Amino acid sequence: MLRQVELVERVLSYDPHADEDLLNRAYVFTIKTHGSQMRASGDPYFSHPIEVAGILTELKLDTASIVTALLHDTIEDTVATKEEIEQNFGSEIAVLVDGVTKLSQLEVQSDRTKQAENFSKLLLAMSNDIRVLLVKLADRLHNMRTLKHIKKPEKRRRIATETMEIYAPLAERIGIQSFRDELEDLAFVELNNEARRSILRRLEYLREEGEDVVAKIVTTLKEDLNESGLQVEVSGREKRPYSIWRKMEQKNVTFEQLSDIIAFRIIVANVEQCYHVLGILHAKYSMVPGRFKDYISTPKRNNYQSIHTTIIGPERQRIEVQIRTREMHETNEFGVAAHWQYKQQIGGKVQEGQQYRWLRELLEILEEASDPDEFLEHTKLNMYQDQVFCFSPKGDLISLPAGSSPVDFAYAVHTKVGDTCVGSKINGRLAPLRTVLKNGDQVEILRSKNQTPSPTWENFVVSGKARSAIRRYIRQQQRDQYVELGKSIAEKAFRTDGKPFTEKALTPVLKIWDLDSVEDVYYSLGDGTHTGRQLLDIIFPGEKSKGVDDNVVPIGKSRNQQKRNKEHAVPIHGLIPGMAVHFAGCCHPLPGDRIVGIVMSGRGVTIHTIDCDTLEQFAEMPERWLDVSWDTELQESNFQIGRITIVMANEPGALSSVTSTIAANNGNITNLLISNRSQDFFEMRVDIEVRDVKHLTNIIAALRADPVISSVERASG
């Protein structure tokens, strides 16, 4: 443990103007407040914040950061309060300490939810001051160094998993590679120690066999570059065990097939020399195709800059070479902390976090997520993926997670661009929205004011920002439909009972169902949590249903329906599948069919044909049945899926004849499944987009006239 004098001397060594008195008071305060508290290792608890402060001195951080590290656990684990911190050390440090403090008093349902809540608070705090994250990372690093002292294996594993999934990627995102590498390796010890030991044994063997080879390669590279008049630094760096393991998994290769177990780093004076060195190496040694990356012209999201190339170098060894300037090297190793002294000299409040686009995206995800678990899921998607670089038509560089689609690109540009995306051009050619983007692609997003996010996009987007925006839109649309449907159910229930409907009559329901507004009552009815009968039983206790016949809740107006029911229509036009009202996949109801709705708890209403076999399951639940009707005026522009079964001759051209007949009758095949095949006949199921029952009937009649077809029937299940 660092002594008080040693800690102060460390800070003064890189910041002669540091406030010694403030550092000394914070050191004494943390010892007094933590008092006799002990850690799992048996050490005094105050040794932990002191060691965290020591870690931050290696990054040469300012006095406020060091003091925050000393005090970071006082609010959570001692009787000290934020007000007391502010009174003794100032408002700036009080805000920083509070940002690092966990929500320890928050009542949560699970460890995962607690983790998400704490992380969301950390995110909000570090968005205003990135030093919160630096202290938190140093705190986690020291906790991981002492993880072995925790007795419960499941707790050690949970902490290691959290470190691997959240804190190591965060360290990478702000460019502190030393923190990331050590955090990953310490977590690797707990999560897969057997694999780690295996890699260490192989590395030890390589050291014994190739120690002279590494030295020879370093010497040869330096001589080659000195001959060209360049003064450079050359060194060989062995990769960490977890980094090696991850590459073996990602590339599905063996240890022996990796070419970059030892990376050779060349540091030069300026950017021009970086490319000069690259030219010399490629001229003298054979380059390995597909292994060149220029992160100087296209930096990573954390501002990492370097040229990476793999060559068949000296000693005929396949080696990776990294070329960078000294300034790039400092930034790559220490990220935001590398610039700290310059920022302190400039003066003013540090707003480093505002410069990170990924941080702003995480804040947007926090605003859009419906619950902590969802936020945590999208955050990990956004942080923990390799990246691909694409360009806008204007030449702007957009960095995305690997596997991204044009929809991910659109949301990376702006949420509104994503919401109104209808198509894309990749390198000037029209491409499907689910196309996987590649490095260097130029992407143009085609937009329409009438477009809205599609739920199907969630099946292929990979960025957290895109997924959270799509889910937010779906949640809002689903709520609107549930409310609209619920209002119709309430009105139908009142009409059935012969009562006049007013929203004021719903007031008694709020307290009994523990709801805040009439809209919540409608939502509860619409999603099937409660029924119209339950609503009436509360408002008119003791009364029996009068059974009035006017009980249709119209999904739209039928041709014979009177105009007085027009205001009760809930149109299915523009319906998004899986929301308040959706069509059963068992019977595929079409406009013109006699239909009935089944209210499913938490799912809204499912529409079935009146003769669907599935309805037998609900014979004993009349409260779940809902009379519905079609909106025929909207069917001209709407298409629904009709399903038919066909038995046809097994002969050349038969399938072509079927598809041509369907197309000639303005039907669009969406799915085709051959369910049975014999020497003479095919039996298959075909899903067709049609306007209504009459449209499907015309297609069936046309198919029956075809001589290659033995039979055609509409599928009933």
Side-chain angles (χ1 to χ4, degrees), residues 246-390:
R246 184 168 55 193
K247 285 214 168 186
M248 290 169 61
E249 277 195 321
Q250 289 175 346
K251 298 184 177 182
N252 195 25
V253 295
T254 63
F255 182 89
E256 289 73 21
Q257 291 174 298
L258 292 175
S259 62
D260 55 354
I261 291 173
I262 297 177
F264 292 86
R265 186 170 291 156
I266 299 175
I267 297 178
V268 297
N270 53 51
V271 173
E272 289 75 13
Q273 288 186 4
C274 290
Y275 292 100
H276 190 179
V277 168
L278 179 68
I280 294 171
L281 294 181
H282 281 189
K284 184 161 187 176
Y285 302 105
S286 298
M287 171 199 170
V288 178
R291 296 284 299 162
F292 171 75
K293 294 178 181 178
D294 186 352
Y295 292 122
I296 294 179
S297 63
T298 54
K300 292 185 178 182
R301 282 183 287 181
N302 59 5
N303 292 328
Y304 177 95
Q305 288 186 291
S306 182
I307 293 175
H308 292 191
T309 186
T310 300
I311 58 175
I312 307 299
E315 308 296 319
R316 302 304 301 165
Q317 294 283 332
R318 177 170 162 163
I319 61 173
E320 180 185 82
V321 180
Q322 301 172 357
I323 310 166
R324 61 186 63 165
T325 66
R326 169 61 58 185
E327 184 180 355
M328 291 176 191
H329 177 65
E330 294 295 325
T331 300
N332 296 346
E333 291 299 303
F334 302 108
V336 57
H339 307 291
W340 202 261
Q341 290 303 309
Y342 302 110
K343 295 183 185 305
Q344 292 308 301
Q345 292 169 10
I346 293 171
K349 186 176 180 181
V350 179
Q351 294 288 344
E352 184 68 32
Q354 304 298 338
Q355 299 180 11
Y356 288 86
R357 177 174 185 157
W358 63 271
L359 183 54
R360 292 195 298 271
E361 290 178 355
L362 293 188
L363 288 171
E364 289 182 28
I365 292 172
L366 179 59
E367 293 174 0
E368 295 172 355
S370 62
D371 58 67
D373 285 355
E374 183 180 313
F375 164 65
L376 196 61
E377 173 196 344
H378 297 329
T379 299
K380 287 191 288 187
L381 279 174
N382 222 48
M383 291 194 307
Y384 204 61
Q385 291 177 327
D386 293 331
Q387 55 190 353
V388 60
F389 298 101
C390 297

Side-chain angles (χ1 to χ4, degrees), residues 453-470:
S454 168
T456 60
W457 292 354
E458 197 180 343
N459 297 329
F460 59 81
V461 297
V462 298
S463 64
K465 182 179 180 182
R467 186 161 295 182
S468 64
I470 293 165

Side-chain angles (χ1 to χ4, degrees), residues 63-83:
T63 304
S65 299
I66 306 301
V67 172
T68 300
L70 290 169
L71 305 176
H72 77 272
D73 274 338
T74 53
I75 295 178
E76 180 183 351
D77 294 328
T78 75
V79 295
T81 63
K82 181 182 177 182
E83 290 71 23

Side-chain angles (χ1 to χ4, degrees), residues 692-709:
D692 50 28
V693 170
K694 184 179 180 181
H695 188 183
L696 184 64
T697 302
N698 290 340
I699 292 175
I700 291 175
L703 289 170
R704 285 174 176 165
D706 194 318
V708 302
I709 293 178

Side-chain angles (χ1 to χ4, degrees), residues 392-594:
S392 72
K394 294 182 179 179
D396 296 329
L397 179 67
I398 304 293
S399 176
L400 299 163
S404 288
S405 66
V407 176
D408 293 290
F409 183 95
Y411 277 106
V413 174
H414 197 279
T415 302
K416 289 184 178 178
V417 176
D419 287 345
T420 55
C421 170
V422 293
S424 67
K425 287 184 178 180
I426 300 177
N427 302 321
R429 295 184 177 183
L430 285 171
L433 287 177
R434 64 187 310 125
T435 305
V436 176
L437 299 176
K438 300 187 293 293
N439 269 320
D441 280 345
Q442 185 185 72
V443 184
E444 180 183 353
I445 300 300
L446 308 178
R447 302 171 63 190
S448 170
K449 293 180 180 179
N450 298 322
Q451 173 68 351
T452 56
S454 168
T456 60
W457 292 354
E458 197 180 343
N459 297 329
F460 59 81
V461 297
V462 298
S463 64
K465 182 179 180 182
R467 186 161 295 182
S468 64
I470 293 165
R471 285 189 178 178
R472 181 185 63 170
Y473 174 81
I474 293 172
R475 280 196 306 271
Q476 185 57 51
Q477 290 298 305
Q478 188 177 54
R479 179 173 178 83
D480 291 345
Q481 289 197 19
Y482 277 150
V483 169
E484 188 175 359
L485 176 63
K487 185 175 183 180
S488 290
I489 291 174
E491 292 171 346
K492 173 249 181 175
F494 273 75
R495 289 197 311 274
T496 301
D497 224 35
K499 305 288 187 183
F501 174 77
T502 62
E503 289 194 345
K504 188 175 181 180
L506 304 180
T507 305
V509 181
L510 299 178
K511 184 176 181 181
I512 295 175
W513 286 356
D514 192 23
L515 300 174
D516 296 325
S517 66
V518 171
E519 187 177 281
D520 291 337
V521 174
Y522 293 151
Y523 183 88
S524 182
L525 293 171
D527 79 343
T529 302
H530 297 97
T531 65
R533 186 66 256 166
Q534 291 172 332
L535 181 76
L536 293 179
D537 288 343
I538 293 173
I539 300 173
F540 307 108
E543 292 190 19
K544 292 184 178 180
S545 174
K546 295 182 180 180
V548 178
D549 194 34
D550 182 19
N551 64 348
V552 175
V553 173
I555 293 183
K557 305 185 301 296
S558 67
R559 294 184 186 275
N560 300 321
Q561 195 172 1
Q562 299 178 9
K563 291 183 179 180
R564 62 188 176 86
N565 287 330
K566 182 177 180 180
E567 65 272 17
H568 301 305
V570 182
I572 58 175
H573 178 62
L575 175 70
I576 298 177
M579 292 199 178
V581 179
H582 51 278
F583 301 109
C586 50
C587 53
H588 290 276
L590 295 172
D593 284 326
R594 292 180 61 203

